Amino acid sequence: MNIEQYGWNEEWKMKWNEKLQQLEARILEPGRIVGDFGSKYRVTASTGEIWGELSGKLRHSLSGSGEYPAVGDWVALAMQDGGEHAVIHGVLPRRSVISRKVAGVTQEEQIVASNVDTLFLVSALNDDFNVRRMERYLIMAWNSGANPVILLTKADLCTDAADKIAEMQLAAPGVAVHAVSALLGDGRDELLPYIGRGQTVALTGSSGCGKSTMVNWLSGQNLQLTQDIREGDSRGRHTTTHRELFVLPDGGIIVDTPGMRELQLWEDDGGLNLAFGDISTLAADCRFSDCRHVREEGCAVLEAVASGVLDEKRLLNYRKTQKELLFQNSKEVKQKRKTAAASVKGTPPRAKGNSWQRVLEEY
């Protein structure tokens, strides 16, 4: 097994040498997590794919779900049983982290994938096509440190693909948008620059958008199960139930993730302004530096809406998302995270009183 096939390079060797100095003296070797199954992981190492689990010391040192190893992580392994099993003693510093808030009211970070170079944001060209939802995915992508690329799948089912591509490009300035059809084999060549040797891409999007089909198409194999979407609402069923990493014939590495029914954003690291760059640019001309773009006089953003330069729905989504991220960064939420981190390992404590959605509405 050649771990260079999974993206191991000089940069990771340097991080590996630094990490070894932090760990106790022992015989360790690098590996990359290719599957997350909860309490256990599938890890690729020099001996091939094996099962791995956290050492007791490492598990005890982790204070939140966001610190646990994730698919795409490079880890330090101590081999057991002749290389058929491994114990994970450490995680190398990440280059990028794709994360979101866990579903429900629990204030915990969920890592979707790590060390990803390009994040494919997948949306189907059917009745599930949703520009406003894509704006939220773009915020997650820009916050991650990965390069976002929008894939519009199932182009063979769409009679106005050109119009929808233009609509998506308007909502995602500076982001590449590709319409593809796995059924017809259209658009694969456009994706080759992203899946070259040593590059890691991840797929994310709502259920039924065609992520698993994309994995099979790009790999030339039936690596992932697929299911038809439901008739009537164009929504899909959850096919992928866990995160998993595969090596592509072009030399790239691809991560498939379960479909998301909803995307609750984690903390913002500039992703909001990048995803809504046009609004940020307009806001520079507002009369007041703290303009909220609601009813203020001299608001350049509201003037752009009135003149038809800016879509009002885009501004409304910006306000809603901004409010959500402000809440996520509030003292109340930060205190809940500290409480959860200090609690005994296990299920994090659930928020008491108002639900997350109700508190957000009142914020």
Side-chain angles (χ1 to χ4, degrees), residues 126-307:
N126 54 20
D127 292 339
D128 195 40
F129 180 82
N130 190 314
V131 172
R132 303 284 82 86
R133 183 193 301 138
M134 183 58 69
E135 288 170 344
R136 294 177 64 81
Y137 277 100
L138 281 167
I139 295 171
M140 179 181 71
W142 284 124
N143 282 332
S144 74
N147 178 48
V149 172
I150 296 174
L151 297 189
L152 302 180
T153 62
K154 307 180 183 181
D156 52 285
L157 301 178
C158 184
T159 58
D160 59 344
D163 292 338
K164 288 187 175 179
I165 292 172
E167 185 180 358
M168 192 64 77
Q169 288 174 331
L170 189 63
V175 177
V177 180
H178 301 285
V180 298
S181 170
L183 180 64
L184 301 179
D186 294 340
R188 191 180 190 281
D189 289 345
E190 298 177 22
L191 306 184
L192 293 179
Y194 308 112
I195 57 175
R197 182 174 179 81
Q199 297 186 69
T200 301
V201 299
L203 298 164
T204 189
S206 59
S207 300
C209 65
K211 297 186 302 299
S212 295
T213 298
M214 287 296 300
V215 171
N216 293 340
W217 181 46
L218 293 175
S219 67
Q221 305 176 57
N222 289 324
L223 297 176
Q224 295 287 71
L225 294 174
T226 59
Q227 297 187 56
D228 293 332
I229 61 172
R230 295 195 302 258
E231 296 182 3
D233 62 1
S234 295
R235 299 304 299 273
R237 306 174 181 87
H238 286 292
T239 302
T240 303
T241 57
H242 57 274
R243 298 161 187 82
E244 196 163 2
L245 180 153
F246 306 95
V247 175
L248 298 173
D250 298 285
I253 303 104
I254 194 166
V255 181
D256 192 14
T257 65
M260 298 183 188
R261 291 298 187 197
E262 62 174 335
L263 171 59
Q264 293 188 19
L265 296 169
W266 191 239
E267 293 181 336
D268 184 39
D269 191 24
L272 179 68
N273 287 333
L274 287 171
F276 291 91
D278 50 348
I279 294 179
S280 299
T281 300
L282 290 167
D285 294 326
C286 290
R287 180 181 301 176
F288 305 106
S289 60
D290 59 349
C291 184
R292 296 182 300 128
H293 322 308
V294 180
R295 289 184 295 271
E296 295 86 349
E297 293 184 5
C299 176
V301 176
L302 292 179
E303 290 174 4
V305 172
S307 64

